[in-house]
CSV table of all heavy atoms in Angstrom, one decimal:
chain,number,residue,atom,x,y,z
A,169,ALA,N,0.8,-1.2,0.0
A,169,ALA,CA,0.0,0.0,0.0
A,169,ALA,C,0.9,1.2,0.0
A,169,ALA,O,1.9,1.3,0.7
A,169,ALA,CB,-0.9,0.0,1.2
A,170,ASP,N,0.5,2.2,-0.8
A,170,ASP,CA,1.2,3.5,-0.9
A,170,ASP,C,0.4,4.5,-1.6
A,170,ASP,O,-0.4,4.1,-2.5
A,170,ASP,CB,2.6,3.3,-1.5
A,170,ASP,CG,3.5,4.5,-1.2
A,170,ASP,OD1,3.2,5.4,-0.4
A,170,ASP,OD2,4.6,4.6,-1.9
A,171,PHE,N,0.6,5.8,-1.3
A,171,PHE,CA,-0.1,6.8,-2.0
A,171,PHE,C,0.5,7.0,-3.4
A,171,PHE,O,1.7,6.9,-3.6
A,171,PHE,CB,0.0,8.1,-1.2
A,171,PHE,CG,-0.9,8.2,-0.1
A,171,PHE,CD1,-0.4,7.9,1.2
A,171,PHE,CD2,-2.3,8.5,-0.2
A,171,PHE,CE1,-1.3,8.0,2.3
A,171,PHE,CE2,-3.1,8.6,0.9
A,171,PHE,CZ,-2.6,8.3,2.1
A,172,LEU,N,-0.4,7.3,-4.3
A,172,LEU,CA,0.1,7.8,-5.6
A,172,LEU,C,0.7,9.1,-5.4
A,172,LEU,O,0.3,9.9,-4.5
A,172,LEU,CB,-1.1,8.0,-6.6
A,172,LEU,CG,-1.9,6.7,-6.8
A,172,LEU,CD1,-3.1,7.0,-7.8
A,172,LEU,CD2,-1.1,5.6,-7.4
A,173,LYS,N,1.8,9.4,-6.2
A,173,LYS,CA,2.6,10.6,-5.9
A,173,LYS,C,2.6,11.4,-7.2
A,173,LYS,O,2.9,10.9,-8.3
A,173,LYS,CB,4.0,10.2,-5.5
A,173,LYS,CG,4.0,9.5,-4.2
A,173,LYS,CD,5.4,9.0,-3.8
A,173,LYS,CE,5.4,8.4,-2.5
A,173,LYS,NZ,4.8,7.1,-2.4
A,174,GLU,N,2.4,12.7,-7.1
A,174,GLU,CA,2.3,13.6,-8.2
A,174,GLU,C,3.6,13.5,-9.1
A,174,GLU,O,3.5,13.5,-10.3
A,174,GLU,CB,2.2,15.1,-7.7
A,174,GLU,CG,2.1,16.1,-8.8
A,174,GLU,CD,1.9,17.5,-8.3
A,174,GLU,OE1,2.1,17.8,-7.1
A,174,GLU,OE2,1.4,18.3,-9.1
A,175,GLU,N,4.8,13.5,-8.4
A,175,GLU,CA,6.0,13.5,-9.2
A,175,GLU,C,6.3,12.2,-9.9
A,175,GLU,O,7.2,12.1,-10.8
A,175,GLU,CB,7.2,13.8,-8.2
A,175,GLU,CG,7.5,12.8,-7.2
A,175,GLU,CD,6.6,13.0,-5.9
A,175,GLU,OE1,5.7,13.8,-5.9
A,175,GLU,OE2,7.0,12.3,-4.9
A,176,LEU,N,5.5,11.2,-9.7
A,176,LEU,CA,5.7,9.9,-10.3
A,176,LEU,C,4.8,9.7,-11.5
A,176,LEU,O,5.0,8.7,-12.3
A,176,LEU,CB,5.6,8.7,-9.4
A,176,LEU,CG,6.6,8.7,-8.2
A,176,LEU,CD1,6.4,7.6,-7.3
A,176,LEU,CD2,8.1,8.8,-8.8
A,177,PHE,N,3.9,10.6,-11.8
A,177,PHE,CA,3.1,10.5,-13.0
A,177,PHE,C,3.9,10.8,-14.2
A,177,PHE,O,4.6,11.8,-14.3
A,177,PHE,CB,1.9,11.4,-12.9
A,177,PHE,CG,0.7,10.9,-12.1
A,177,PHE,CD1,0.7,11.2,-10.7
A,177,PHE,CD2,-0.3,10.2,-12.6
A,177,PHE,CE1,-0.4,10.8,-9.9
A,177,PHE,CE2,-1.3,9.7,-11.9
A,177,PHE,CZ,-1.4,10.0,-10.5
A,178,THR,N,4.0,9.9,-15.2
A,178,THR,CA,4.7,10.1,-16.4
A,178,THR,C,4.0,11.0,-17.3
A,178,THR,O,4.5,11.5,-18.3
A,178,THR,CB,5.2,8.8,-17.0
A,178,THR,OG1,4.0,8.0,-17.3
A,178,THR,CG2,6.1,8.0,-16.1
A,179,ASP,N,2.7,11.1,-17.1
A,179,ASP,CA,1.8,12.0,-17.9
A,179,ASP,C,1.2,13.0,-16.9
A,179,ASP,O,0.2,12.6,-16.3
A,179,ASP,CB,0.7,11.2,-18.7
A,179,ASP,CG,-0.2,12.1,-19.5
A,179,ASP,OD1,-0.1,13.3,-19.4
A,179,ASP,OD2,-0.9,11.5,-20.3
A,180,PRO,N,1.7,14.2,-16.8
A,180,PRO,CA,1.2,15.1,-15.8
A,180,PRO,C,-0.3,15.5,-16.0
A,180,PRO,O,-0.9,15.9,-15.1
A,180,PRO,CB,2.1,16.4,-16.0
A,180,PRO,CG,3.3,15.9,-16.7
A,180,PRO,CD,2.9,14.7,-17.5
A,181,ALA,N,-0.8,15.3,-17.2
A,181,ALA,CA,-2.2,15.6,-17.5
A,181,ALA,C,-3.1,14.7,-16.7
A,181,ALA,O,-4.2,15.2,-16.3
A,181,ALA,CB,-2.5,15.5,-19.0
A,182,VAL,N,-2.7,13.5,-16.4
A,182,VAL,CA,-3.5,12.6,-15.6
A,182,VAL,C,-3.7,13.2,-14.2
A,182,VAL,O,-4.8,13.3,-13.6
A,182,VAL,CB,-2.9,11.2,-15.6
A,182,VAL,CG1,-3.7,10.3,-14.6
A,182,VAL,CG2,-2.9,10.6,-17.0
A,183,SER,N,-2.5,13.6,-13.6
A,183,SER,CA,-2.6,14.1,-12.2
A,183,SER,C,-3.4,15.4,-12.2
A,183,SER,O,-4.2,15.6,-11.3
A,183,SER,CB,-1.1,14.4,-11.8
A,183,SER,OG,-1.2,15.0,-10.5
A,184,ALA,N,-3.2,16.3,-13.2
A,184,ALA,CA,-4.0,17.5,-13.3
A,184,ALA,C,-5.5,17.3,-13.4
A,184,ALA,O,-6.3,18.0,-12.8
A,184,ALA,CB,-3.4,18.4,-14.4
A,185,GLN,N,-5.8,16.3,-14.2
A,185,GLN,CA,-7.3,16.0,-14.5
A,185,GLN,C,-7.9,15.4,-13.3
A,185,GLN,O,-9.0,15.8,-12.9
A,185,GLN,CB,-7.4,15.1,-15.7
A,185,GLN,CG,-8.9,14.7,-15.9
A,185,GLN,CD,-9.1,13.8,-17.1
A,185,GLN,OE1,-8.1,13.3,-17.7
A,185,GLN,NE2,-10.3,13.4,-17.4
A,186,TRP,N,-7.3,14.4,-12.6
A,186,TRP,CA,-8.0,13.6,-11.6
A,186,TRP,C,-7.7,14.1,-10.2
A,186,TRP,O,-8.3,13.7,-9.2
A,186,TRP,CB,-7.7,12.1,-11.8
A,186,TRP,CG,-8.2,11.6,-13.1
A,186,TRP,CD1,-7.5,11.4,-14.2
A,186,TRP,CD2,-9.6,11.4,-13.4
A,186,TRP,NE1,-8.4,10.9,-15.2
A,186,TRP,CE2,-9.7,11.0,-14.7
A,186,TRP,CE3,-10.8,11.5,-12.7
A,186,TRP,CZ2,-10.9,10.6,-15.4
A,186,TRP,CZ3,-12.0,11.2,-13.3
A,186,TRP,CH2,-12.0,10.7,-14.6
A,187,TYR,N,-6.6,14.9,-10.0
A,187,TYR,CA,-6.2,15.3,-8.7
A,187,TYR,C,-6.0,16.8,-8.6
A,187,TYR,O,-4.9,17.2,-8.1
A,187,TYR,CB,-5.0,14.5,-8.2
A,187,TYR,CG,-5.2,13.0,-8.3
A,187,TYR,CD1,-4.7,12.2,-9.3
A,187,TYR,CD2,-5.9,12.4,-7.2
A,187,TYR,CE1,-5.0,10.9,-9.4
A,187,TYR,CE2,-6.1,11.0,-7.3
A,187,TYR,CZ,-5.7,10.3,-8.3
A,187,TYR,OH,-5.9,8.9,-8.4
A,188,PRO,N,-6.9,17.6,-9.0
A,188,PRO,CA,-6.7,19.1,-8.9
A,188,PRO,C,-6.5,19.6,-7.5
A,188,PRO,O,-5.8,20.6,-7.2
A,188,PRO,CB,-7.9,19.7,-9.6
A,188,PRO,CG,-9.0,18.6,-9.5
A,188,PRO,CD,-8.2,17.3,-9.5
A,189,SER,N,-7.1,18.8,-6.5
A,189,SER,CA,-6.9,19.2,-5.1
A,189,SER,C,-5.7,18.5,-4.4
A,189,SER,O,-5.6,18.6,-3.2
A,189,SER,CB,-8.2,18.9,-4.3
A,189,SER,OG,-9.3,19.6,-4.9
A,190,LYS,N,-5.0,17.7,-5.2
A,190,LYS,CA,-3.8,16.9,-4.7
A,190,LYS,C,-4.2,15.9,-3.7
A,190,LYS,O,-3.4,15.5,-2.8
A,190,LYS,CB,-2.8,17.9,-4.1
A,190,LYS,CG,-2.4,19.0,-5.0
A,190,LYS,CD,-1.6,18.6,-6.2
A,190,LYS,CE,-1.1,19.8,-6.9
A,190,LYS,NZ,-0.9,19.6,-8.3
A,191,ASP,N,-5.5,15.4,-3.7
A,191,ASP,CA,-6.0,14.4,-2.8
A,191,ASP,C,-5.8,13.0,-3.4
A,191,ASP,O,-6.7,12.3,-3.8
A,191,ASP,CB,-7.4,14.6,-2.5
A,191,ASP,CG,-8.3,14.6,-3.7
A,191,ASP,OD1,-7.9,14.9,-4.8
A,191,ASP,OD2,-9.6,14.4,-3.5
A,192,TYR,N,-4.5,12.6,-3.5
A,192,TYR,CA,-4.2,11.3,-4.2
A,192,TYR,C,-4.7,10.1,-3.5
A,192,TYR,O,-4.7,10.0,-2.3
A,192,TYR,CB,-2.7,11.3,-4.4
A,192,TYR,CG,-2.1,12.3,-5.3
A,192,TYR,CD1,-1.6,13.5,-4.8
A,192,TYR,CD2,-2.2,12.2,-6.7
A,192,TYR,CE1,-1.2,14.5,-5.6
A,192,TYR,CE2,-1.8,13.2,-7.5
A,192,TYR,CZ,-1.3,14.4,-7.0
A,192,TYR,OH,-0.9,15.4,-7.8
A,193,HIS,N,-5.1,9.1,-4.3
A,193,HIS,CA,-5.6,7.9,-3.8
A,193,HIS,C,-4.4,7.1,-3.2
A,193,HIS,O,-3.2,7.3,-3.5
A,193,HIS,CB,-6.1,7.0,-5.0
A,193,HIS,CG,-7.4,7.3,-5.5
A,193,HIS,ND1,-7.6,8.1,-6.6
A,193,HIS,CD2,-8.6,6.9,-5.1
A,193,HIS,CE1,-8.9,8.2,-6.9
A,193,HIS,NE2,-9.5,7.5,-6.0
A,194,LYS,N,-4.7,6.2,-2.3
A,194,LYS,CA,-3.8,5.2,-1.8
A,194,LYS,C,-4.1,3.9,-2.6
A,194,LYS,O,-5.2,3.5,-2.8
A,194,LYS,CB,-3.9,4.9,-0.3
A,194,LYS,CG,-2.7,4.1,0.2
A,194,LYS,CD,-2.6,4.2,1.7
A,194,LYS,CE,-1.3,3.6,2.2
A,194,LYS,NZ,-1.2,3.7,3.7
A,195,LEU,N,-3.0,3.4,-3.2
A,195,LEU,CA,-3.1,2.1,-3.9
A,195,LEU,C,-2.9,0.9,-3.0
A,195,LEU,O,-1.9,0.9,-2.2
A,195,LEU,CB,-2.0,2.1,-5.0
A,195,LEU,CG,-1.7,0.8,-5.7
A,195,LEU,CD1,-2.9,0.4,-6.6
A,195,LEU,CD2,-0.4,0.9,-6.5
A,196,TYR,N,-3.8,0.0,-3.1
A,196,TYR,CA,-3.7,-1.3,-2.3
A,196,TYR,C,-3.6,-2.4,-3.3
A,196,TYR,O,-4.4,-2.5,-4.2
A,196,TYR,CB,-4.9,-1.5,-1.4
A,196,TYR,CG,-5.1,-0.4,-0.4
A,196,TYR,CD1,-5.9,0.7,-0.6
A,196,TYR,CD2,-4.5,-0.5,0.9
A,196,TYR,CE1,-6.1,1.7,0.4
A,196,TYR,CE2,-4.7,0.4,1.9
A,196,TYR,CZ,-5.4,1.5,1.6
A,196,TYR,OH,-5.6,2.5,2.5
A,197,ILE,N,-2.5,-3.2,-3.1
A,197,ILE,CA,-2.4,-4.4,-3.9
A,197,ILE,C,-2.6,-5.6,-2.9
A,197,ILE,O,-1.9,-5.7,-1.8
A,197,ILE,CB,-1.0,-4.5,-4.5
A,197,ILE,CG1,-0.8,-3.4,-5.5
A,197,ILE,CG2,-0.9,-5.9,-5.3
A,197,ILE,CD1,0.6,-3.3,-6.1
A,198,GLY,N,-3.5,-6.5,-3.2
A,198,GLY,CA,-3.7,-7.6,-2.4
A,198,GLY,C,-3.7,-8.9,-3.1
A,198,GLY,O,-4.0,-9.0,-4.3
A,199,VAL,N,-3.2,-10.0,-2.5
A,199,VAL,CA,-3.2,-11.3,-3.0
A,199,VAL,C,-4.7,-11.8,-2.9
A,199,VAL,O,-5.3,-11.6,-1.8
A,199,VAL,CB,-2.2,-12.3,-2.4
A,199,VAL,CG1,-2.5,-12.4,-0.9
A,199,VAL,CG2,-2.2,-13.6,-3.1
A,200,ILE,N,-5.2,-12.4,-3.9
A,200,ILE,CA,-6.6,-13.0,-3.8
A,200,ILE,C,-6.4,-14.3,-3.1
A,200,ILE,O,-5.9,-15.3,-3.7
A,200,ILE,CB,-7.2,-13.1,-5.2
A,200,ILE,CG1,-7.3,-11.7,-5.9
A,200,ILE,CG2,-8.6,-13.7,-5.1
A,200,ILE,CD1,-7.7,-11.8,-7.4
A,201,GLU,N,-6.9,-14.4,-1.9
A,201,GLU,CA,-6.8,-15.6,-1.1
A,201,GLU,C,-7.9,-16.6,-1.3
A,201,GLU,O,-7.8,-17.8,-1.1
A,201,GLU,CB,-6.6,-15.3,0.4
A,201,GLU,CG,-5.3,-14.6,0.7
A,201,GLU,CD,-5.0,-14.5,2.2
A,201,GLU,OE1,-5.9,-14.2,2.9
A,201,GLU,OE2,-3.9,-14.8,2.5
A,202,ALA,N,-9.1,-16.0,-1.7
A,202,ALA,CA,-10.3,-16.8,-1.9
A,202,ALA,C,-11.2,-16.1,-2.8
A,202,ALA,O,-11.2,-14.8,-2.9
A,202,ALA,CB,-11.0,-17.1,-0.6
A,203,ALA,N,-12.0,-16.8,-3.6
A,203,ALA,CA,-13.0,-16.2,-4.4
A,203,ALA,C,-14.3,-17.0,-4.2
A,203,ALA,O,-14.3,-18.2,-4.1
A,203,ALA,CB,-12.6,-16.3,-5.9
A,204,TYR,N,-15.4,-16.3,-4.1
A,204,TYR,CA,-16.7,-16.9,-3.8
A,204,TYR,C,-17.7,-16.4,-4.9
A,204,TYR,O,-17.7,-15.3,-5.2
A,204,TYR,CB,-17.3,-16.5,-2.5
A,204,TYR,CG,-16.5,-17.0,-1.3
A,204,TYR,CD1,-15.5,-16.2,-0.7
A,204,TYR,CD2,-16.8,-18.2,-0.8
A,204,TYR,CE1,-14.8,-16.7,0.4
A,204,TYR,CE2,-16.1,-18.7,0.3
A,204,TYR,CZ,-15.1,-17.9,0.9
A,204,TYR,OH,-14.4,-18.4,2.0
A,205,SER,N,-18.4,-17.4,-5.4
A,205,SER,CA,-19.6,-17.0,-6.3
A,205,SER,C,-20.8,-17.4,-5.5
A,205,SER,O,-20.8,-18.2,-4.6
A,205,SER,CB,-19.5,-17.8,-7.6
A,205,SER,OG,-19.6,-19.2,-7.4
A,206,ASN,N,-21.9,-16.8,-5.9
A,206,ASN,CA,-23.2,-17.0,-5.2
A,206,ASN,C,-23.1,-16.8,-3.7
A,206,ASN,O,-23.2,-17.7,-2.9
A,206,ASN,CB,-23.7,-18.4,-5.5
A,206,ASN,CG,-25.1,-18.6,-4.9
A,206,ASN,OD1,-25.8,-17.7,-4.6
A,206,ASN,ND2,-25.5,-19.9,-4.8
A,207,CYS,N,-22.8,-15.6,-3.3
A,207,CYS,CA,-22.6,-15.3,-1.9
A,207,CYS,C,-23.9,-15.4,-1.1
A,207,CYS,O,-23.8,-15.3,0.2
A,207,CYS,CB,-22.0,-13.9,-1.7
A,207,CYS,SG,-20.3,-13.9,-2.5
A,208,GLN,N,-25.0,-15.5,-1.7
A,208,GLN,CA,-26.3,-15.7,-1.0
A,208,GLN,C,-26.2,-16.8,0.0
A,208,GLN,O,-26.8,-16.7,1.1
A,208,GLN,CB,-27.4,-15.9,-2.0
A,208,GLN,CG,-28.8,-15.7,-1.5
A,208,GLN,CD,-29.8,-15.7,-2.6
A,208,GLN,OE1,-29.6,-16.2,-3.6
A,208,GLN,NE2,-30.9,-15.0,-2.4
A,209,ALA,N,-25.5,-17.9,-0.3
A,209,ALA,CA,-25.4,-19.0,0.6
A,209,ALA,C,-24.6,-18.7,1.9
A,209,ALA,O,-24.6,-19.4,2.8
A,209,ALA,CB,-24.8,-20.2,-0.1
A,210,LEU,N,-23.8,-17.6,1.9
A,210,LEU,CA,-23.0,-17.2,3.1
A,210,LEU,C,-24.0,-16.9,4.2
A,210,LEU,O,-23.6,-17.0,5.4
A,210,LEU,CB,-22.1,-16.0,2.8
A,210,LEU,CG,-20.9,-16.3,2.0
A,210,LEU,CD1,-20.2,-15.0,1.6
A,210,LEU,CD2,-19.9,-17.2,2.7
A,211,ARG,N,-25.2,-16.5,4.0
A,211,ARG,CA,-26.1,-16.1,5.1
A,211,ARG,C,-26.3,-17.3,6.0
A,211,ARG,O,-26.6,-17.1,7.2
A,211,ARG,CB,-27.4,-15.7,4.5
A,211,ARG,CG,-28.3,-16.8,3.9
A,211,ARG,CD,-29.7,-16.3,3.6
A,211,ARG,NE,-30.4,-17.3,2.8
A,211,ARG,CZ,-30.8,-17.2,1.6
A,211,ARG,NH1,-30.7,-16.0,1.0
A,211,ARG,NH2,-31.4,-18.2,1.0
A,212,ASP,N,-26.2,-18.5,5.5
A,212,ASP,CA,-26.3,-19.7,6.4
A,212,ASP,C,-25.2,-19.9,7.4
A,212,ASP,O,-25.3,-20.7,8.3
A,212,ASP,CB,-26.5,-21.0,5.5
A,212,ASP,CG,-27.7,-20.8,4.6
A,212,ASP,OD1,-28.7,-20.2,4.9
A,212,ASP,OD2,-27.6,-21.4,3.4
């Protein structure tokens, strides 16, 4: 996990368009440990 950083954008237009207030997202990378389909059954 780390914040996106203005100085690391290789295209400054992206930063200018999406972060005019400099409120950069934090990026989270996670390993997918499990996947579930039909979560309705979890209620049980």
Side-chain angles (χ1 to χ4, degrees):
D170 196 8
F171 282 100
L172 301 179
K173 296 174 179 70
E174 180 178 20
E175 66 273 11
L176 297 180
F177 280 91
T178 58
D179 182 349
V182 174
S183 179
Q185 177 182 1
W186 296 105
Y187 303 100
S189 300
K190 311 288 187 209
D191 59 338
Y192 295 96
H193 284 96
K194 190 164 193 179
L195 167 69
Y196 296 92
I197 300 174
V199 61
I200 301 171
E201 292 191 317
Y204 292 95
S205 64
N206 185 16
C207 295
Q208 197 167 25
L210 285 169
R211 72 173 173 239
D212 301 329

